[in-house]
Amino acid sequence: MSLPPLLSLLVAWLLGTLLVSALVGEAERRPGDTALRLALGALLGLGVTAVIFCGFSLLVDRPGLASGIVEAALLAVLARRLAGRGAAVVAPAAAWTWPQRLLASCCAQALLVAAVVAWRAWAAAPWGGWDGWAIWNLHARLLARGGTDWPALLAAPQLSWTHPDYPRLVAAGVARAWAWTGAESPAAAGLVSAAFAAALLGVLVAGLHVLRGRIAAAVGGLLLVGTPFFVTFATNEHADIPFAAYALAAVVCGVRGWLIPAALFAGLAAWTKNEGLLFAAVFGAVLLTTQPRQKIGAILGALALGLLPVIGFKLGWAPANDLMGPTLAPRLAQLFDPARHGAILSALGRDLRQFGEWTVLPYFALALGWWASRRAQPVPRLVPLVIVLMAAGYYVVYLLSPHDLAWHLDTSLVRLLLQLWPLVIVAWCLRWPEAAATTAGAPSRVRRLGWWGANLGVAAGLLVALGGQLGAGEVALRRVGLGKVTLAWGEGWYSPESLGRQRWAWSRGEAQLRFAVDPSAAGGPQHVRFTLRSLGARRVAVTLGNRVVWSGAVAEVPVTVELKDLVLPEGETALVIASDQPPRAESAAPGARALAFAVYDPELR
Amino acid sequence: MKFHGWLVVGAVALTAGINLVDAVRRGPPPPRLPAVPATDPVVRHEARFAGVTAALRRHEVRGVVGYFCDLTPEVLAATPAAMEDYFLTQFALVPWVLDPRDRDRPWAIANLRQTGGGEPLPAGYRMTVNFGGGVLLLERTRP
């Protein structure tokens, strides 16, 4: 990972945080408000810098430079303006209790594990999932490579499959990171994707902390990072998590009473995904009906400002949307088709169980929470109203969809549920009773140090355990000091098979086992052990470099091979296994595999 | 906080913990020995078409170019795997727009999987660059 994409994100974060501070003023800060401003600042900064970059991409061939100058100027103006303000009055925070500390530790360790899972998901598909590369990164490439002609190129009918009408926030954000990097690195695209997910989590946790205290914040955070689909999708370079982040930011700001940022975030949600247009309409309507009349003008003004980029794009450049393009009138009858209602409800029932990719559904814990908080705080109307109206809107869109309904549901419903999931978590956590302020004194320095030490120890233990997990195609791993020696299936094998704890692979003929040796593990003696079996009698030789390290007769009865004191150099080395007989068909069936020999349960000692 | 509150917290933490552990199990780390060729189709395609972008620039090709594969346009449109190949090629070659239907473009990309480039060229085209593996840059020879 190079520095420029990180720097581009840091500049966006700083700019957004200053903007949030300028917009919300310096009235009394509640505990957690600073963290909430930082999380909201990341989202606002990513949105505003994407708008600036996209605007310049229509005017100049090097939008990175022009937008960078404007960002620097904005930073200077905001810093100067905010520097003149007096210090904020920060409400005193309640002392931490030990159960709260323990819960915070669980959250931190869960976050660490989630970050590792998210990184692995990115490493498996660096350019993202299907929509990641086929829509969002492709649009980003057009912005980065197409010069000022990109709208004309994207309007080409041959590219209609890339959904050229989709809003540009994510694509422009990625293209901006690439412009700072000077190269189209998938790592930069993954970093932008992860930044949105991290900001979403930050808004959820900090928002709940401000609104309901530490325990609600921790529980909300655990529910979100305990959703594997959210974690693996965080780096998948789609726009669903960025959209969910803006929707959540709008709702949290709305509940917090920061109405102008709330309306701006609703506008940015619309600049992220077409679902955001529905969200902006729903959220704007709910906000206007739940706020005093004297605030309506400011809300409408901020909403209009937030919607300006998407309105300009939709009116100026975007082709018709695939859902709205075909004439609507003939499809109105679909609203009353019982088969469509049945199909949608059936898919909803299925995907409510599956969308989070959970092993244990969180609904039992949520239900327990509803039971436990029967006389809990009332949830501000804004949150459930937005969730219900958004869900209703999605339902109607499916009813009116011009596409094959089953296909449409199968390819999108889980993502729509993920978009609403953070709002559902917030609604559930807002029922949580506010923690009563405690007067417990601060723990002694020794205890604090002990707590931090224990946390760091657990984190280190988790990282070591995760680092010891076998990767795809790997069969054995051995730690040598700080380094590792890994053994993996190389070329010449059919797909590896397993039954219980036993693992094996059949060869097509000559085959390889590959070693990867870390620098600090090189040179030391390695012992390798595996079992060989073959169809029919044959002689098998195992070679390392030019040296035959084992040879012998092999047949149906397994033969144990022990290779002792192998000296492996740093880097990659192959153990070549070959036999003196051609492979033999495993059966008389047509298409039967031709098998030479099988290696069972390779071990490194 | 009362006992039942901590019960809920425990239930949420346990649920999240189990789900995360299972996510770790399902998502193994990337192999320390990178697979050759790469397992991710997008990465494979990026490598396959790495030289084409520079060649298109060198020949000052702009806008829309033709796209030939082993299938006719009609069969291509009905073959999901071939369409994925076409989409991946388009992703690799942005900002050039690939047109699999128009056989009269001045420039075209051939993405041949089955023939490896040994097949006769599409009528009216000559090969300008052979990138290997069935990837060719073609130029139209007759108007």
Side-chain angles (χ1 to χ4, degrees), chain A residues 497-594:
Chain A
E497 301 165 66
S498 65
L499 182 66
R501 297 176 73 85
Q502 195 171 47
R503 290 165 301 157
W504 70 93
W506 279 97
S507 75
R508 297 184 175 90
E510 184 177 292
Q512 294 183 352
L513 288 171
R514 297 161 79 201
F515 293 99
V517 183
D518 288 349
S520 57
Q526 305 296 333
H527 310 306
V528 179
R529 180 193 161 114
F530 54 86
T531 306
L532 272 174
R533 221 185 118 219
S534 78
L535 290 186
R538 61 182 69 223
R539 281 197 74 77
V540 173
V542 181
T543 313
L544 181 68
N546 295 323
R547 190 164 63 97
V548 176
V549 290
W550 185 90
S551 70
V554 178
E556 277 82 0
V557 179
V559 175
T560 300
V561 177
E562 294 219 36
L563 309 175
K564 293 190 173 172
D565 300 327
L566 295 179
V567 178
L568 302 173
E570 173 191 340
E572 196 178 326
T573 315
L575 206 58
V576 180
I577 311 173
S579 83
D580 62 347
Q581 300 292 322
R584 186 184 284 191
E586 63 181 326
S587 72
R593 297 178 301 173

Side-chain angles (χ1 to χ4, degrees), chain B residues 24-119:
Chain B
V24 167
R25 192 186 55 76
R26 280 179 285 162
R32 288 146 189 98
L33 292 166
V36 183
T39 47
D40 181 45
V42 192
V43 174
R44 267 204 316 270
H45 244 78
E46 293 286 296
R48 183 170 163 81
F49 287 89
V52 180
T53 309
L56 286 167
R57 258 196 212 108
R58 204 166 49 245
H59 288 91
E60 297 181 352
V61 181
R62 292 173 66 88
V64 183
V65 298
Y67 176 81
F68 292 97
C69 64
D70 303 296
L71 309 171
T72 62
E74 294 72 30
V75 180
L76 166 70
T79 312
M83 282 304 285
E84 182 178 349
D85 219 28
Y86 159 60
F87 293 154
L88 286 163
T89 309
Q90 176 62 76
F91 176 66
L93 296 184
V94 165
W96 291 275
V97 176
L98 304 182
D99 190 335
R101 293 191 168 273
D102 190 342
R103 320 303 260 182
D104 288 322
R105 294 278 171 189
W107 292 89
I109 301 294
N111 179 20
L112 309 173
R113 294 283 185 182
Q114 291 159 17
T115 61
E119 196 80 337

Side-chain angles (χ1 to χ4, degrees), chain A residues 99 103 120 130 133 141 145 149 158 161 222 226 357-360 372 466-467 469-472 474 486 514 572, chain B residues 4 6 9 15-16 19-20 22 24 26-33 42 46 62 84 87-88 90-92 94 99:
Chain A
L103 194 56
R120 288 178 179 181
W130 183 284
W133 62 264
R141 275 196 168 167
R145 295 179 182 178
D149 291 339
Q158 296 88 347
W161 57 271
L222 277 174
E357 297 175 2
W358 295 292
T359 308
V360 176
L466 290 167
Q469 197 178 352
L470 291 176
E474 292 174 352
T486 316
R514 297 161 79 201
E572 196 178 326
Chain B
H4 57 246
W6 286 112
V9 172
T15 305
N19 286 324
L20 265 180
D22 208 43
V24 167
R26 280 179 285 162
R32 288 146 189 98
L33 292 166
V42 192
E46 293 286 296
R62 292 173 66 88
E84 182 178 349
F87 293 154
L88 286 163
Q90 176 62 76
F91 176 66
V94 165
D99 190 335

Side-chain angles (χ1 to χ4, degrees), chain A residues 198-232:
Chain A
L200 189 160
L201 181 64
V203 170
L204 185 131
V205 172
L208 285 169
H209 183 194
V210 171
L211 298 169
R212 286 296 182 271
R214 288 176 190 137
I215 294 175
V219 168
L222 277 174
L223 278 169
L224 192 61
V225 296
T227 304
F229 185 37
F230 171 77
V231 176
T232 53

Side-chain angles (χ1 to χ4, degrees), chain A residues 397-430:
Chain A
V397 169
Y398 279 126
L399 283 175
L400 293 173
S401 169
H403 300 301
D404 172 65
L405 184 58
W407 172 85
H408 199 179
L409 287 161
D410 289 349
T411 55
S412 60
L413 183 56
V414 290
R415 289 182 289 114
L416 298 190
L417 292 172
L418 185 69
Q419 291 170 8
L420 298 182
W421 178 232
L423 291 173
V424 172
I425 292 175
V426 165
W428 184 80
C429 289
L430 282 175

Side-chain angles (χ1 to χ4, degrees), chain A residues 99-138:
Chain A
Q100 286 178 348
R101 284 177 193 278
L102 188 66
L103 194 56
S105 296
C106 288
C107 286
Q109 308 299 351
L111 187 61
L112 179 75
V113 175
V116 171
V117 173
W119 173 75
R120 288 178 179 181
W122 173 81
W127 288 103
W130 183 284
D131 282 9
W133 62 264
I135 297 176
W136 307 107
N137 281 330
L138 190 144

